[in-house]
Amino acid sequence: MSKRVLTTESGAPVADNQNSASAGVGGPLLLQDQHLLEKLARFNRERIPERVVHARGSGAYGHFTVTDDVSDLTSAAFLSTVGKRTELFTRFSTVADNLGGADAVRDPRGFAVKFYTEEGNYDLVGNNTPVFFIKDPLKFPDFIHSQKRDPFTGKQEPDNVWDFWAHAPEATHQVTWLMGDRGIPASYRHMNGYGSHTYQWTNAAGEAFFVKYHFKTNQGIRSLSAEQGQELAGKDANSHQTDLLQAIERGVHPSWTLYVQVMPAAEADGYRFNPFDLTKVWPHADHPLRRVGRLVLDRNPDNVFAEVEQAAFSPNNFVPGIGPSPDKMLQGRLFAYADAHRYRLGVNHTQLAVNAPRATAADNYGRDGLMAANAQPRGEKNYEPNSYGGPVETGAPLSAPLAVHGHTGTHEAPAHSKDDDFFQAGELYRLMSEEERARLVANIAGGLSQVSREDVIEKNLAHFHAADPAYGKRVEAAVRTLREG
C-alpha cells in the first residue's frame, strides 16, 4: 500500500516537514519557505471567536422517531406519521463559562436539537430548565455581563451575579431551579431538556396551538451536590464530554422521550399566567404532557471543531407547521442566534456539513460572501422573480399568523390575573422535600453571603420571602450565619 503524500494547502508535495529552510546551516530562516509561512499563518488562525454564551459544549448525532400521532396539532412532515424517523444533531453546553471551563459546574445547560427534515432543517434551541432568568431580550446582554468574568478582576463576581438578580425579581423562579438539586447534572445523559419558550404549531386545517417541549431523559435524573461538583470539576474538567463520548462509543445510546404541552391559541389571552413569559411554567394540571416521540443519540462526531464548535442552531429555522409565539425572549433570539453565527462562522455557515440540510437541498438566491462553497451554476440568474426557471415562492405560510393590536412603543408584558414574579418560585420550593430545601438554602446562602453590600443582600432576601415566608427566613438565617462566622 503506497503512502499518502503530505502536501501544502494548494496540493503541492512537501519535501521536508521537519526542518525549516535557512540561509546555510544554522543561518536565519528564509522568507521563501512558503511551507513554513503557510503552516504558521494557518496555525495562528485555527481558532474562531467562541460563543459569548454556551461556549463550552458537546454534541452527537442521532435520530428522532415519532411514536404517537400528533397530526391533529401540526402539519410538520417529520411529525406526520407514527414511525417516521428523522436524522438529527444535538449539542449540550454550559451557559456562562468560557470554552476552557469545567463541565461539572452550577449553571443551566443548553439543549439544542437540529432536525434534518425533508422540509428543511428545524432547530429547537432550549435548556435543561423549563424557565429562564429574564422575560425581555433587552436585558439579556446585561444579564450575561453580570454572570461572566468581571472586566477588572477577570473572574465571576458574586457582587455582580446577585446584584443583577436583586434588580430582577422575575429571576427568582430560575434561581430556585439553579440553586436546587438539578443545578449540577451528573452528565448530559442524566438531565431533561426543554424548549423553554412557547412555540406555535399549526395543523393542516390551519388551526393554531401553542406548545412547550419537554425532553424527558430515559436514563433517569442524576445530579451532583455542590461538593461532588467541585471534586469532579477538579479531577476532570471534561467530565460530561467524556461521559457522552464513551457511552456512545461503547454502544450505550442515550435517549429522551419528547412530550409537549398544548394550549389552543384561543385560550392564551384568558390564561391566568402570561403563557409567553419565559420565567413561568404551565402547570401540568392545566396542560398535561402529550407524548410525541423518542430522540436517540448513537454516533459521535468525527471532529469536535468541525461538527460541535461550528454547529449553528437558530430558533428562526422553522418548517411548515411550526412557528414562533409572542414570547419576547424567543422573538429576540430569532435575530440574535443567527446573527451570532454570521459573526462567528460567516454568512455561509449554513453550507458547512453539520449545518447544511440533509433530507432536502437549499435553493435560493443567496450568493457569494466569505467561504462560499456553493457556486452559482453557469448562466443561472441571481434575482427573483425571473423568467428562467429559478426557484419560486410557495405562497403557503409556515404557520398561522399572530394577531397584533394596539400602539407601538416600549410596553411591559401584559399582566394576567395570576401573574407575579414569585408565586411559581414558591410553588417549586413547596414541592421539594425537606432534604432538597436544605441543600437549596445552603447553595443560595453560599453565594449570597459573599456579596459585599448589605442592600444587595436585602433585596435578594426580599425576593425569597415573597416566594414563601419559610423559604425567605431559612435563606436569611443561613446567610447571617455565614457572614457572622
Side-chain angles (χ1 to χ4, degrees):
M1 182 177 179
S2 60
K3 292 183 178 180
R4 293 165 58 190
V5 174
L6 178 66
T7 75
T8 64
E9 295 292 325
S10 62
V14 172
D16 190 340
N17 194 44
Q18 313 305 317
N19 302 289
S20 302
S22 61
V25 177
L29 302 187
L30 300 176
L31 185 62
Q32 72 182 39
D33 188 349
Q34 287 301 299
H35 178 50
L36 170 66
L37 271 58
E38 179 181 82
K39 198 171 179 181
L40 293 180
R42 183 179 182 87
F43 180 75
N44 284 343
R45 293 161 175 80
E46 278 189 358
R47 295 294 171 263
I48 60 176
E50 70 173 43
R51 292 168 169 86
V52 177
V53 289
H54 297 279
R56 181 174 179 82
S58 302
Y61 293 96
H63 58 270
F64 178 81
T65 304
V66 178
T67 58
D68 295 77
D69 183 13
V70 291
S71 59
D72 60 313
L73 301 176
T74 178
S75 61
F78 81 104
L79 299 174
S80 60
T81 56
V82 172
K84 188 74 174 285
R85 176 166 159 155
T86 300
E87 299 304 308
L88 57 82
F89 183 80
T90 298
R91 186 179 187 269
F92 308 103
S93 56
T94 54
V95 174
D97 214 342
N98 298 94
L99 191 57
D103 287 338
V105 295
R106 188 172 298 280
D107 199 14
R109 300 300 191 276
F111 193 109
V113 185
K114 184 181 293 292
F115 297 90
Y116 300 109
T117 91
E118 65 265 51
E119 296 178 297
N121 291 351
Y122 172 46
D123 289 353
L124 181 58
V125 179
N127 284 329
N128 71 328
T129 61
V131 293
F132 197 61
F133 299 93
I134 54 176
K135 61 181 73 174
D136 193 304
L138 193 64
K139 297 304 298 175
F140 189 75
D142 301 295
F143 166 63
I144 294 301
H145 288 167
S146 75
Q147 309 297 302
K148 299 284 277 187
R149 297 176 186 270
D150 182 86
F152 173 65
T153 66
K155 61 188 182 72
Q156 191 180 55
E157 290 292 343
D159 275 0
N160 301 352
V161 171
W162 289 96
D163 185 42
F164 182 88
W165 289 341
H167 292 88
E170 71 269 25
T172 309
H173 193 187
Q174 173 72 318
V175 170
T176 303
W177 268 91
L178 179 63
M179 297 299 172
D181 279 0
R182 297 191 186 185
I184 311 178
S187 78
Y188 291 132
R189 296 183 296 129
H190 293 92
M191 68 181 194
N192 290 341
Y194 301 89
S196 301
H197 297 289
T198 301
Y199 293 90
Q200 186 199 72
W201 278 9
T202 308
N203 65 18
E207 297 174 299
F209 304 87
F210 293 119
V211 301
K212 284 185 175 288
Y213 294 86
H214 299 249
F215 290 90
K216 299 288 189 179
T217 174
N218 295 320
Q219 290 70 238
I221 296 289
R222 283 182 52 203
S223 302
L224 303 174
S225 67
E227 296 75 20
Q228 289 171 326
Q230 289 175 350
E231 181 180 0
L232 182 57
K235 288 182 176 178
D236 180 9
N238 305 296
S239 57
H240 289 31
Q241 162 68 13
T242 301
D243 176 85
L244 182 65
L245 175 75
Q246 292 182 350
I248 294 175
E249 286 298 293
R250 66 177 184 266
V252 179
H253 298 154
S255 66
W256 289 259
T257 300
L258 173 61
Y259 300 86
V260 291
Q261 289 180 282
V262 182
M263 178 186 293
E267 293 183 13
D269 284 344
Y271 190 54
R272 66 184 190 278
F273 304 118
N274 180 353
F276 311 118
D277 182 346
L278 186 55
T279 68
K280 294 182 175 64
V281 298
W282 298 354
H284 289 191
D286 295 349
H287 300 282
L289 297 178
R290 179 166 168 178
R291 192 174 67 175
V292 180
R294 183 181 176 89
L295 183 156
V296 178
L297 299 180
D298 55 13
R299 181 167 69 85
N300 283 311
D302 294 326
N303 185 289
V304 171
F305 175 80
E307 299 165 90
V308 179
E309 183 65 11
Q310 292 193 129
F313 298 85
S314 300
N316 59 342
N317 287 341
F318 293 114
V319 293
I322 303 177
S325 78
D327 179 337
K328 281 190 171 185
M329 285 295 294
L330 173 60
Q331 291 283 323
R333 285 171 167 158
L334 296 180
F335 162 75
Y337 275 56
D339 189 59
H341 304 318
R342 295 184 191 104
Y343 160 67
R344 293 182 61 245
L345 304 170
V347 71
N348 289 305
H349 66 274
T350 55
Q351 297 177 16
L352 296 170
V354 69
N355 300 322
R358 298 194 173 190
T360 186
D363 194 2
N364 55 52
Y365 296 93
R367 294 289 183 262
D368 307 334
L370 189 67
M371 299 298 291
N374 298 333
Q376 177 181 344
R378 182 177 181 180
E380 187 169 288
K381 306 305 179 185
N382 67 337
Y383 57 88
E384 196 279 333
N386 66 61
S387 305
Y388 298 88
V392 297
E393 63 194 28
T394 66
L398 298 185
S399 58
L402 297 172
V404 296
H405 56 84
H407 300 283
T408 60
T410 55
H411 304 289
E412 292 186 7
H416 291 228
S417 61
K418 296 289 186 178
D419 270 337
D420 69 42
D421 293 325
F422 307 110
F423 176 78
Q424 291 199 351
E427 288 282 274
L428 179 58
Y429 174 80
R430 290 185 286 274
L431 282 173
M432 295 179 180
S433 68
E434 175 53 35
E435 293 77 13
E436 290 173 324
R437 291 177 188 175
R439 290 189 291 268
L440 167 68
V441 168
N443 291 333
I444 292 173
L448 188 54
S449 64
Q450 299 177 52
V451 173
S452 62
R453 291 179 49 151
E454 284 293 333
D455 62 325
V456 173
I457 293 175
E458 291 300 327
K459 287 177 182 176
N460 278 285
L461 291 176
H463 296 169
F464 300 121
H465 279 288
D468 185 281
Y471 186 10
K473 288 179 182 178
R474 293 181 66 168
V475 173
E476 183 172 5
V479 169
R480 298 304 172 211
T481 299
L482 290 173
R483 287 178 72 80
E484 293 168 2

